[in-house]
Amino acid sequence: MLSWFDAMAFCRWLQVVEPGAIAAAVAAEAEAADRRDQVRAALLRELEAARYAADRAFRQYDAADPLPTKRSCSRVLPKLPGRAKC
């Protein structure tokens, strides 16, 4: 059990330390929020780069094979009886 003097000293210590602790907690939260925003921005940049790369790959593939209808026709029609091949 704390003595009266210890209790008063502890209360005084809290009065001195508490404002600094609150300011430190607020600063830590602001720093964490800033870090989350940086990570989110980096992830969005990576996602945009991946989307661009995928779109570019599709465009290159389509440019190399300009008749995709022939490609799909050749896969479907041989399986159907009595149909002419493309």
Side-chain angles (χ1 to χ4, degrees):
M1 180 131 197
L2 292 176
S3 69
W4 177 84
F5 179 77
D6 290 337
M8 292 303 291
F10 182 70
C11 287
R12 180 69 184 131
W13 179 78
L14 282 179
Q15 289 173 348
V16 171
V17 172
E18 189 173 4
I22 291 172
V26 168
E29 173 55 33
E31 191 174 313
D34 185 46
R35 180 69 181 143
R36 279 191 306 268
D37 291 344
Q38 290 175 356
V39 169
R40 182 177 292 121
L43 290 172
L44 286 174
R45 284 191 301 271
E46 287 181 23
L47 177 62
E48 184 63 29
R51 285 180 176 159
Y52 175 79
D55 184 54
R56 184 169 182 241
F58 278 116
R59 284 186 278 125
Q60 286 177 338
Y61 181 77
D62 288 341
D65 187 10
L67 299 173
T69 55
K70 288 247 186 213
R71 187 173 55 242
S72 62
C73 179
S74 64
R75 277 185 282 175
V76 174
L77 288 181
K79 296 176 185 174
L80 299 175
R83 295 285 182 158
K85 291 187 180 183
C86 294

